[in-house]
Amino acid sequence: MLKQIEGSRAVAECVAMCRPNVISAYPITPQTHIVEDLAMIVGQGKLDAEFINVESEFAAASVVLGASAAGARAYSATSSQGLLLMCEVIYCIAGMRLPIVLTCANRAISAPLSIWNDQQDSMALRDAGWIQLHAEDNQEAADLHIQAFKIAEQTSLPVMVCMDGFILTHAYEPVDIPEPKQVDNFLPPFLPKNIVDPRSPKGIGLFADPRFYLETRYILHRAMEKCEATIKTVSADFKKTFGRDSGGFIKTYKLEDADLVIVSMGSVVGTIKELIDQMEEEGKKVGLLQICSYRPFPRQEIYRALKDKMNIVVLEKSVSLGRGGILASDVRWSFPRAEKKGRNISSFIAGLGGRNIPMDDLRYMVEKVEKEPVELEFLGLKKELISEKDL
């Protein structure tokens, strides 16, 4: 059913149709509306679930860890400092191979304090062993949650669905909300694999001395690599069931004939598409490669899509301080060393702390890269606010 609906409410309705047994909730802007809406759905008797209000995000992550380890389908949501407070447990969830789904309403991290959007929170935990899916719009955000439970439960890996805070969570858009029966047909009942059961005692997530720990990391790394096939299959099944192409690894827009390609992910993709349309009318051939799955990183998919493209610019809403563009570094890694010569991969950081990314800045970025490659540039930087004594 097509609804004009807030992004958070769309996500809450789709999560509810996935029938989680346990939901843990702690309010933090801008994800609060998601768990508020789920609380109402549970309170109205539309979802039979344990809705647990906790005292912190650390507790929220701990609750879903325990619930999943006991055999429950579990869900939570957070943002920014909340995700960082969950950090210890986030790593434990992955190491214990628990198929939990968590929404990250992407928001800048402190200090200084900012409640506005960028993607530095989820990117800070990119190596925790969680699958990370990034939504362009609210339709995709809603759809990815339905897929996330199926991916998690088929791979025994947790899934983080990332959607840009405020830009998506608080925006009202038309979203096609499926019928519960459709979701039931797509997502089978949860059959837990790794559980703590006194009738069949076993330990999970226990102590590993140096004789064993290396192997646990190798197994988790290989599991992340192997889950690529599941992500593809679930995305294809979703398209067949619901008639929409949501999820997968990458999407492209006017890429085939492009002389220059922009690589990005999240809600800024929509603005980039508008720029590409404008530039096409001006006779310029610019294309887009959108990253949908950031972890596992779709290295082979990116290489196949961009192997014939020599001028590439990566635009991202996060930065590795002292290193530069995180996504840009991963994109550069996608190309074999022998094929990097003569290929320009430029890196731009933009939108940190919720700063607007206007069309003029994107046009400037494209026109600059058309002339020469850019190792790293902070797009829209206000140099008048910076003094040498600050550096």
Side-chain angles (χ1 to χ4, degrees):
M1 178 186 296
L2 194 63
K3 295 183 178 181
Q4 185 75 11
I5 190 171
E6 186 191 51
S8 293
R9 178 71 191 191
V11 166
E13 291 192 10
C14 286
V15 168
M17 282 187 280
C18 294
R19 305 186 192 282
N21 307 113
V22 174
I23 300 165
S24 64
Y26 189 81
I28 183 172
T29 301
Q31 70 81 28
T32 306
H33 288 185
I34 298 173
V35 290
E36 281 183 348
D37 288 336
L38 279 165
M40 286 192 289
I41 291 169
V42 172
Q44 292 165 355
K46 297 178 181 177
L47 172 64
D48 182 14
E50 289 290 331
F51 187 95
I52 304 173
N53 290 302
V54 295
E55 69 275 14
S56 71
E57 289 88 358
F58 181 90
S62 299
V63 163
V64 291
L65 181 151
S68 183
R73 179 177 281 169
Y75 169 83
S76 190
T78 193
S79 297
S80 184
Q81 306 301 126
L83 182 62
L84 298 189
L85 189 56
M86 288 181 172
C87 182
E88 178 183 346
V89 188
I90 290 290
Y91 274 84
C92 291
I93 288 169
M96 294 169 69
R97 303 294 298 275
L98 299 174
I100 292 164
V101 173
L102 179 139
T103 306
C104 177
N106 287 115
R107 172 189 139 184
I109 54 180
S110 301
L113 174 65
S114 170
I115 65 167
W116 292 277
N117 167 253
D118 61 33
Q119 295 167 352
Q120 294 185 96
D121 48 2
S122 60
M123 296 295 271
L125 291 178
R126 63 191 179 276
D127 300 324
W130 284 59
I131 296 168
Q132 279 195 18
L133 308 176
H134 283 258
E136 174 191 353
D137 54 29
N138 284 335
Q139 182 68 69
E140 196 161 59
D143 293 345
L144 286 176
H145 283 82
I146 298 170
Q147 295 177 57
F149 282 98
K150 192 167 187 175
I151 292 168
E153 291 165 13
Q154 288 187 2
T155 62
S156 294
L157 289 168
V159 179
M160 185 184 301
V161 180
C162 303
M163 59 188 298
D164 285 344
F166 290 115
I167 298 171
L168 297 184
T169 57
H170 288 56
Y172 280 76
E173 297 177 355
V175 178
D176 189 355
I177 304 295
E179 297 297 326
K181 287 185 179 180
Q182 288 181 292
V183 178
D184 288 340
N185 291 335
F186 177 79
L187 178 64
F190 180 37
L191 297 175
K193 298 177 183 177
N194 300 318
I195 62 171
V196 177
D197 187 345
R199 295 168 297 183
S200 178
K202 69 175 181 178
I204 58 175
L206 301 180
F207 179 77
D209 67 27
R211 294 173 297 168
F212 308 111
Y213 186 84
L214 176 65
E215 286 70 27
T216 69
R217 297 299 93 184
Y218 174 78
I219 291 168
L220 189 53
H221 172 67
R222 291 289 292 123
M224 286 287 287
E225 290 183 328
K226 288 180 66 177
C227 78
E228 293 181 8
T230 303
I231 293 171
K232 289 180 182 178
T233 301
V234 170
S235 176
D237 289 347
F238 185 90
K239 183 177 180 180
K240 183 178 180 181
T241 302
F242 298 93
R244 294 189 296 276
D245 186 13
S246 289
F249 280 106
I250 63 171
K251 291 187 177 69
T252 63
Y253 185 72
K254 299 185 178 179
L255 181 68
E256 187 174 346
D257 298 323
D259 298 322
L260 183 147
V261 178
I262 303 172
V263 179
S264 194
M265 62 186 185
S267 61
V268 72
V269 164
T271 310
I272 293 170
K273 289 177 180 176
E274 290 184 29
L275 174 74
I276 289 171
D277 291 342
Q278 288 182 13
M279 302 200 93
E280 184 180 43
E281 294 177 1
E282 298 164 12
K284 293 185 177 182
K285 297 179 179 179
V286 181
L288 167 72
L289 187 144
Q290 174 190 352
I291 307 290
C292 303
S293 166
Y294 178 65
R295 285 292 185 269
F297 190 72
R299 182 184 184 186
Q300 297 300 324
E301 299 276 344
I302 290 171
Y303 172 71
R304 283 192 287 269
L306 300 182
K307 63 182 179 179
D308 297 324
K309 306 301 180 182
M310 303 306 290
N311 204 1
I312 300 163
V313 55
V314 182
L315 176 70
E316 56 189 300
K317 291 184 175 183
S318 59
V319 59
S320 174
L321 300 175
R323 174 62 181 90
I326 302 169
L327 181 58
S329 180
D330 285 340
V331 170
R332 287 167 178 154
W333 171 68
S334 300
F335 295 92
R337 182 176 298 179
E339 295 191 26
K340 290 181 180 177
K341 188 176 182 180
R343 192 186 304 273
N344 298 324
I345 303 178
S346 300
S347 175
F348 284 82
I349 311 296
L352 300 188
R355 181 165 296 181
N356 188 33
I357 307 176
M359 196 73 72
D360 286 347
D361 281 0
L362 294 179
R363 181 176 289 274
Y364 158 83
M365 177 185 74
V366 169
E367 291 174 350
K368 184 166 186 176
V369 171
E370 285 176 331
K371 297 174 184 175
E372 58 181 2
V374 174
E375 180 66 24
L376 175 65
E377 182 170 334
F378 285 71
L379 193 63
L381 187 67
K382 297 178 180 178
K383 295 183 179 179
E384 67 274 13
L385 300 180
I386 304 167
S387 66
E388 282 299 316
K389 66 179 181 181
D390 295 324
L391 304 177

